[in-house]
Amino acid sequence: MSPSVRPAVYIHVGAPKTGTTYLQQILHHNRPALRRAGLLYPGTQHAHFWASQDLRERRFRGHTDAHVAGAWKRLVKEIRGWPDRSLIDHETLAAAPREAIDRALADLDFAEVHIVLTARDLARQLPATWQERVKNGSTGSYSDFLASVRAAKAEREPAARHFWAMQGAPAILARWSRTLPPEHVHVVTVPPRGSDPGLLWQRFAGLLGVDPGAYDTALPVVNTSLGAAEAAVLRRFNAAIGDLDLPWPAYAGVFKQRLAPALAERAGKPIEVPEDDFHWAVERGQKMADDLRAAGYAVVGDLADLVPASRPTGVHPDHVPAEASADAALAGMVSMVTLVAESRVATTAVRRSQRGAFARRVEDIVGRTPALRRLRDAYRRRSA
């Protein structure tokens, strides 16, 4: 690369629930190979989340990880030392306010910045976002969430304001692109339901200038969806433990990282989008596509992907049949009991290992100390 050409830095700003975890998993797993191809994916596995929190000066559910302070500057420093393309990637950047965006672009003034947004139709985003809120401890009902999202801006509840801060693609890109040419702003559409599962990666990798077929994408599925009954049960768990005021790391370690995946394994009936809400999602999706097209952004895929083609059907999580709720609750109880049992088995194993190590240490000291060795041998003769 010529010294006069500024290196490109791509900032993937979201949106959540648009395959971001899937893409991040591929990027993290293939980091060395991507580097050899000229693309730097800096930091460690969680560095981009920490950097997003640091840049936005935000905490997550009242908790700040010790790694957050200075995380944005550390990421930028690593990128500054790389002569080719780089990628910053976390979906929470979608909600960055203007002042944080200005700081980010000022810190990256040595580079040619490109903004990337992955976008998916609202009919799939609505149930996905609500259940993700439940995984993060929410007790709000699905009906209230849908009503608030559809409400006029001034009437939206906090959950809906957060939804639009993360999912309102035209507004997100308008904030991030104020000082950038439209050709440096990229919309990658999530393919419709039933498409080749690898198509999103193909679109994303092509934008970054890497061969999508050159990397290992056969990775374990993470962040799988909950069924309606399973999401309803988790929401009731959240309500039941509300008085405990658990700190986020404690909640995440048990409920988000253990109970939620165990419930997701059941593959229960999916969460439906009520017919009226589906028609609204079609109209709103068409408007979003029109606004993005009018802005002149570079599109990878097809903006028609943002207009729902079929209504997600299944069960309304606020009205799950009692039998289905009982089955899901039993699965949740089994998961919790298993977690406790495994913890106790692990603790016992550690204690046994510690006792064994202590005994070996004592025997070593006795063997190297003549007086103690004579006492040991005398004891053994009397006990024989």
Side-chain angles (χ1 to χ4, degrees):
M1 179 178 294
S2 168
S4 63
V5 177
R6 295 192 299 166
V9 174
Y10 294 86
I11 309 178
H12 182 203
V13 300
K17 311 309 296 180
T18 60
T20 51
T21 301
Y22 161 74
L23 294 173
Q24 289 158 7
Q25 189 182 23
I26 295 174
L27 291 164
H28 175 71
H29 181 73
N30 292 281
R31 179 181 271 112
L34 290 166
R35 189 183 181 100
R36 290 192 294 271
L39 178 66
L40 174 69
Y41 188 53
T44 58
Q45 185 170 5
H46 303 294
H48 297 249
F49 175 52
W50 297 329
S52 174
Q53 285 189 289
D54 185 33
L55 175 68
R56 296 179 300 119
E57 300 179 344
R58 293 291 188 270
R59 306 172 75 189
F60 189 77
R61 306 223 17 118
H63 175 71
T64 300
D65 192 285
H67 297 86
V68 168
W72 171 258
K73 292 290 188 182
R74 290 194 296 272
L75 215 62
V76 171
K77 181 179 179 181
E78 186 175 350
I79 291 170
R80 186 183 289 273
W82 182 252
D84 210 330
R85 294 155 293 144
S86 302
L87 172 66
I88 298 172
D89 182 3
H90 204 271
E91 58 271 22
T92 54
L93 289 167
R98 290 191 174 195
E99 55 271 22
I101 293 170
D102 290 343
R103 286 197 301 273
L105 297 181
D107 289 340
L108 294 167
D109 61 0
F110 59 88
E112 178 185 279
V113 175
H114 292 250
I115 304 302
V116 183
L117 181 80
T118 43
R120 186 168 74 153
D121 73 80
L122 288 172
R124 288 185 286 172
Q125 290 297 82
L126 290 169
T129 300
W130 175 77
Q131 69 166 270
E132 193 65 24
R133 287 182 51 77
V134 172
K135 290 180 184 179
N136 286 328
S138 173
T139 60
S141 74
Y142 186 49
S143 295
D144 287 347
F145 171 75
L146 293 176
S148 184
V149 165
R150 292 184 57 179
K153 187 174 182 179
E155 300 171 357
R156 291 172 186 162
E157 298 295 329
R161 291 198 293 271
H162 185 262
F163 175 86
W164 286 115
M166 294 286 203
Q167 303 293 340
I172 292 168
L173 291 179
R175 285 198 308 274
W176 273 97
S177 66
R178 282 173 297 130
T179 61
L180 299 176
E183 60 269 22
H184 285 188
V185 183
H186 309 268
V187 180
V188 180
T189 62
V190 177
R193 191 189 305 274
S195 301
D196 177 357
L199 184 53
L200 177 60
W201 165 245
Q202 293 171 27
R203 291 177 176 181
F204 193 74
L207 170 62
L208 299 176
V210 297
D211 177 7
Y215 305 96
D216 181 11
T217 60
L219 305 174
V221 176
V222 296
N223 205 19
T224 51
S225 296
L226 294 171
E230 291 71 28
V233 164
L234 182 55
R235 183 167 77 94
R236 294 183 67 178
F237 266 110
N238 292 340
I241 65 169
D243 293 339
L244 298 180
D245 195 25
L246 291 176
W248 170 248
Y251 177 89
V254 175
F255 290 89
K256 183 170 185 177
Q257 297 168 10
R258 180 56 186 259
L259 178 58
L263 291 173
E265 290 178 359
R266 287 172 43 80
K269 291 185 178 179
I271 298 172
E272 75 160 13
V273 173
E275 189 169 355
D276 186 55
D277 295 293
F278 174 72
H279 292 313
W280 170 85
V282 171
E283 294 176 1
R284 190 61 184 254
Q286 184 62 64
K287 185 178 187 311
M288 289 175 64
D290 292 342
D291 289 347
L292 293 171
R293 186 177 295 107
Y297 302 138
V299 177
V300 182
D302 190 336
L303 290 176
D305 294 341
L306 304 185
V307 183
S310 61
R311 180 170 74 93
T313 56
V315 176
H316 195 299
D318 294 352
H319 310 294
V320 175
E323 184 176 354
S325 292
D327 288 344
L330 179 60
M333 292 174 63
V334 169
S335 175
M336 293 293 96
V337 170
T338 302
L339 176 62
V340 172
E342 289 178 350
S343 177
R344 291 192 174 184
V345 168
T347 300
T348 300
V350 168
R351 287 175 177 170
R352 286 175 178 170
S353 175
Q354 290 173 340
R355 286 198 296 269
F358 178 74
R360 289 190 296 273
R361 177 63 175 159
V362 169
E363 179 67 23
D364 179 62
I365 293 172
V366 169
R368 291 186 286 105
T369 309
L372 294 176
R373 189 168 62 246
R374 287 194 295 271
L375 288 172
R376 179 199 64 188
D377 294 343
Y379 173 77
R380 288 177 175 175
R381 286 194 297 271
R382 292 184 62 183
S383 301

